[in-house]
Amino acid sequence: WGQRNNDGPPDLDELFKNLRDKFGGMFGGSSKGRIPKVPGGGGNLGGVIGFFAVALLIVWSLTGIYIVDEGWRGVETRFGERSAVTQAGPHWHIPWPVEDVELINVADIRTARHNSKMLTSAENIVVMSIEIQYNVKDAQSFAFEVRDPDLTLQQTAETAIREVVGNNDMDLIITEGRAVVGSATKEIMQEILDNYRTGINVVTVNMDEAQPPEEVLDAFEDAIRAREDEQRIINEANA
């Protein structure tokens, strides 16, 4: 770092001269004239600090550039509060921690499954398994109105399917009424999700499974076979 004067701190001009000599030797070239001296010795240090400050500001500003792909939406927030929703294309926002952006896919069809046991109108237990296909119709509501959209969807499906099954008997649910149950469940779910402003759009609700619990399945199948035998005997008698 150079020699220290006996009566004061080291001279800044001498300090920068030594630095130029060291870096010039490292890269195999002369460092003369690369950093101009400023009378008083403090100008060089201030210039270096200013240069790095400007460079950091430029790098920080570049981190605010983002691109929204087709079929996605960018939800911008400013200090955690919703600010704007951007469409597909390149965009810029004030970088973190002032603003942030969350990218949400609004084009893909998402799938969720729900399994549960519930009572029919005749108080019979039925095991249900449904598949829900949905997408996002409002990115801002999807990001802000509910804490956990997927959990909200599951709870809404539980509420809707219980209402539909509770208003029908088991025979309808496990036979020809599956399409009716799925359609009615979809309508109730969409109404609830819209009331909560979740931004979710239910596309279809399909019933994968509907049957009695395993504990009584054999007895239930015996009852079905008995009804089938009854109808067969009646048809034979009529013939």
Side-chain angles (χ1 to χ4, degrees):
W1 297 103
Q3 298 296 324
R4 176 182 177 89
N5 297 328
N6 294 329
D7 56 352
D11 183 77
L12 289 178
D13 288 341
E14 185 69 19
L15 174 64
F16 280 101
K17 178 179 181 299
N18 291 335
L19 287 174
R20 287 198 302 270
D21 293 338
K22 286 180 179 292
F23 285 104
M26 289 175 59
F27 296 101
S30 174
S31 60
K32 292 182 178 180
R34 292 185 181 177
I35 303 180
K37 293 184 178 181
V38 177
N44 290 325
L45 181 60
V48 171
I49 294 175
F51 171 79
F52 279 108
V54 172
L56 288 175
L57 180 62
I58 293 174
V59 173
W60 180 72
S61 300
L62 292 176
T63 61
I65 298 175
Y66 68 97
I67 296 177
V68 180
D69 293 332
E70 193 66 35
W72 291 66
R73 296 293 183 270
V75 180
E76 294 184 1
T77 57
R78 182 173 299 159
F79 297 116
E81 182 180 1
R82 72 187 78 181
S83 175
V85 177
T86 55
Q87 305 292 322
H91 302 276
W92 181 85
H93 68 91
I94 301 175
W96 186 90
V98 179
E99 291 185 349
D100 200 1
V101 61
E102 179 181 356
L103 299 178
I104 297 177
N105 191 329
V106 299
D108 284 356
I109 301 297
R110 313 181 187 201
T111 301
R113 297 184 181 277
H114 183 75
N115 304 315
S116 61
K117 292 181 179 179
M118 52 198 66
L119 291 175
T120 66
S121 59
E123 297 185 355
N124 293 315
I125 298 177
V126 60
V127 178
M128 303 287 299
S129 176
I130 60 175
E131 179 186 81
I132 307 158
Q133 293 184 334
Y134 67 100
N135 58 13
V136 178
K137 64 179 181 179
D138 188 333
Q140 183 167 279
S141 296
F142 185 81
F144 283 97
E145 293 298 335
V146 291
R147 185 183 300 274
D148 190 338
D150 294 330
L151 178 60
T152 302
L153 181 76
Q154 291 285 343
Q155 294 174 341
T156 301
E158 177 80 10
T159 300
I161 194 65
R162 284 190 182 277
E163 179 176 344
V164 173
V165 172
N167 291 327
N168 292 279
D169 57 40
M170 179 173 286
D171 290 341
L172 176 68
I173 294 171
I174 66 176
T175 56
E176 72 275 1
R178 292 194 174 195
V180 176
V181 171
S183 176
T185 302
K186 174 181 177 297
E187 292 180 5
I188 296 174
M189 285 186 63
Q190 191 64 67
E191 181 180 357
I192 297 173
L193 293 171
D194 289 344
N195 288 337
Y196 281 117
R197 296 186 296 175
T198 61
I200 295 175
N201 174 56
V202 180
V203 179
T204 59
V205 175
N206 299 317
M207 190 159 56
D208 292 338
E209 180 185 15
Q211 63 181 24
E214 293 182 0
E215 295 82 358
V216 297
L217 184 59
D218 292 339
F220 189 82
E221 290 178 348
D222 288 341
I224 294 178
R225 284 192 293 268
R227 285 200 301 268
E228 292 175 348
D229 291 342
E230 177 189 17
Q231 188 61 45
R232 177 179 54 79
I233 293 173
I234 291 176
N235 292 338
E236 290 175 354
N238 290 332

